[in-house]
Amino acid sequence: MNKEKYWIWLSRLGNEIEPIVLKKLLDEYKMPDKIWKLTKTKLKKFGIKQEHVDVILNKKYKENLEVYEKYLLENNIEILTIYDKFYPEKLKHIYDPPIVLYLKGDKNILNNLSLAIIGSRNCSFYGMQVAKDIAKNLSKYEINITSGLARGIDSSAHIVSLSGNGKTVVE
């Protein structure tokens, strides 16, 4: 099994285990393939709660990893780990950073200055125009627009930014 599959496995655990727990394991064992091999006894000695031990040892998370890997490959999606030099520096220093990011696009922009433009999905015409104006002006200064890409204010800001050759990051 290649190294990416172990990262996929570890990121899947993040649905049930807080990233900070996984980060502590990574700090100790350095790579997910070493965590993959841990026994129940070693996990318990490390101080992992029983419910997290059960998730880590659950075979359902270790199955079909090739399907995920194939999907990523076919859709040109990269795995960016917390150890990667392109991983956003500011994100590394939050209390509970994700250990894996899935990336499609230019990873070189991830550490550029960014601003989140978020707002109502059912926004007024005026609100949408203001969001568009802000995004258009920020893109002139090479400031990334960041949001979850919800319809309304968020998506309007992304669309305008991209139409002006700006850069966007969708979380």
Side-chain angles (χ1 to χ4, degrees):
M1 186 180 301
N2 70 38
K3 299 286 184 196
E4 270 195 352
K5 289 182 185 173
Y6 294 109
W7 285 106
I8 294 168
W9 164 72
L10 201 60
S11 75
R12 291 186 67 213
L13 298 180
N15 293 329
E16 297 196 43
I17 300 175
E18 300 84 6
I20 196 160
V21 173
L22 299 176
K23 178 72 168 77
K24 286 178 185 176
L25 282 165
L26 279 170
D27 287 345
E28 178 69 22
Y29 295 101
K30 307 303 179 211
M31 295 301 287
D33 57 319
K34 292 187 174 141
I35 299 168
W36 172 286
K37 297 173 188 173
L38 292 176
T39 63
K40 184 176 189 174
T41 305
K42 286 191 177 183
L43 288 165
K44 294 287 271 184
K45 280 185 183 176
F46 189 73
I48 302 293
K49 291 190 254 178
Q50 183 61 49
E51 62 195 64
H52 293 157
V53 170
D54 293 341
V55 171
I56 292 168
L57 298 177
N58 189 328
K59 292 188 188 309
K60 80 175 185 179
Y61 292 106
K62 293 183 176 186
E63 295 172 347
N64 301 319
L65 294 175
E66 298 80 20
V67 174
Y68 293 95
E69 188 176 44
K70 182 180 177 188
Y71 177 84
L72 296 176
L73 186 63
E74 288 173 353
N75 291 282
N76 200 28
I77 299 170
E78 291 181 64
I79 291 177
L80 202 60
T81 74
I82 198 161
Y83 298 136
D84 194 293
K85 71 178 183 176
F86 292 102
Y87 190 97
E89 195 59 37
K90 289 183 179 180
L91 190 57
K92 278 183 191 177
H93 300 290
I94 67 171
Y95 172 72
D96 206 5
I99 56 165
V100 172
L101 299 175
Y102 292 92
L103 170 81
K104 187 168 187 166
D106 183 3
K107 60 187 167 195
N108 291 302
I109 71 165
L110 293 176
N111 283 298
N112 291 357
L113 187 59
S114 296
L115 182 86
I117 298 180
I118 56 173
S120 175
R121 291 177 183 199
N122 298 315
C123 58
S124 67
F125 178 77
Y126 175 75
M128 193 174 297
Q129 284 305 120
V130 170
K132 287 178 178 180
D133 289 345
I134 292 169
K136 182 178 179 181
N137 286 316
L138 290 172
S139 67
K140 291 177 188 175
Y141 296 99
E142 298 182 9
I143 297 173
N144 298 338
I145 302 301
T146 305
S147 84
L149 199 59
R151 76 179 153 85
I153 298 289
D154 300 34
S155 60
S156 295
H158 283 286
I159 291 166
V160 168
S161 179
L162 291 171
S163 69
N165 293 321
K167 306 289 184 207
T168 67
V169 178
V170 180
E171 299 175 358

